[in-house]
Amino acid sequence: MLPAGYVPDATDLAFIASVTPDPEPAVLAIEADGHRDRLPIVDRPTGLLLRALVHGRRRIVEVGTAIGYSTLWLALGSGPEGRVVTIDPDAERTARARGYWRAAGVADERISVVGMPALDAFAADLPELRGPFDLAFIDALKPEYGAYVDALVPRLAPGALLLADNVLYGGMVAGRSGFRADTPSEHRSADALRAFDAAILADPRFVATIIPMCDGILLATYVGDGR
């Protein structure tokens, strides 16, 4: 039985880090550059989770590339046969990302970049976004998460995994004391994520949960019309 009130803390996280092999040099390079330039990248534990979950899956779609950190984890985890389509309108960042992917030895043809806002890209019915996809990862504009899922569902294979990052949004979704939204943008994002979390957890097309790690990761298996 767990001790009452036990929650993993920095000691536990340090132990996990001590027994986890160091990532590839290209991963470390993106981490260093992302932190230096204050760019939005997922935490390393999220990257490790993506790598573990994507193993054995061949067709992956990512909404939100930034400088390609999570994209790289997905490409490394899916192996030589994996193909990732990643969507982001920022050409400067995605060009930078391509350099990191090449440094990691990932062939250009394994990662396709769609340089458009995600909802526009889905509406355009581009061939590379028709699916079916085995895994979808969302980490982009928070108020659009629900619309992303609406666009993704027809493109998901049975049994596909859906992951979404930042679904606890720094404690603001739950209204945690001391972590409440301050700006109109934060309020919009927190409200949208709160509704998104509730909707996916209640959606019969998914078997879903929220993993309380990092900034909250929603993990769902697509089961279609029946469980």
Side-chain angles (χ1 to χ4, degrees):
M1 180 180 294
L2 290 175
Y6 169 74
V7 176
D9 65 8
T11 302
D12 302 286
L13 298 181
F15 165 74
I16 294 170
S18 74
V19 297
T20 301
D22 290 335
E24 290 76 359
V27 171
L28 297 176
I30 302 179
E31 288 179 353
D33 292 353
H35 294 316
R36 182 196 64 214
D37 298 339
R38 304 180 68 85
L39 295 171
I41 61 174
V42 301
D43 298 291
R44 186 187 295 181
T46 300
L48 291 165
L49 178 67
L50 291 174
R51 184 175 67 177
L53 292 175
V54 78
H55 182 76
R57 297 177 185 271
R58 295 293 173 258
R59 299 200 66 190
I60 300 105
V61 59
E62 176 185 50
V63 182
T65 314
I67 58 170
Y69 182 67
S70 51
T71 322
L72 182 54
W73 282 112
L74 292 167
L76 294 172
S78 60
E81 302 302 316
R83 297 293 182 269
V84 182
V85 181
T86 186
I87 311 169
D88 198 298
D90 191 324
E92 181 178 350
R93 286 186 179 179
T94 56
R96 183 175 176 180
R98 180 71 69 185
Y100 294 121
W101 304 333
R102 288 172 176 166
V106 178
D108 284 358
E109 60 267 23
R110 290 195 52 220
I111 302 177
S112 300
V113 176
V114 176
M116 300 170 62
L119 295 181
D120 293 345
F122 288 128
D125 194 28
L126 302 174
E128 56 265 52
L129 288 175
R130 288 178 185 162
F133 293 106
D134 303 315
L135 183 146
F137 177 56
I138 298 172
D139 185 16
L141 299 175
K142 310 315 172 192
E144 295 185 354
Y145 271 29
Y148 298 151
V149 171
D150 290 343
L152 283 166
V153 162
R155 297 168 163 89
L156 295 178
L161 293 182
L162 170 73
L163 294 102
D165 194 28
N166 306 121
V167 298
L168 296 180
Y169 204 52
M172 288 181 272
V173 165
R176 183 175 165 187
S177 178
F179 295 88
R180 298 184 184 278
D182 293 322
T183 68
S185 175
E186 288 177 343
H187 277 288
R188 285 192 299 272
S189 293
D191 290 346
L193 288 168
R194 191 177 302 113
F196 170 78
D197 293 345
I200 299 299
L201 291 175
D203 192 326
R205 299 171 299 178
F206 294 98
V207 176
T209 190
I210 293 174
I211 304 173
M213 61 177 282
C214 300
D215 198 22
I217 301 168
L218 184 139
L219 171 62
T221 301
Y222 177 64
V223 296
D225 294 329
R227 293 178 184 266

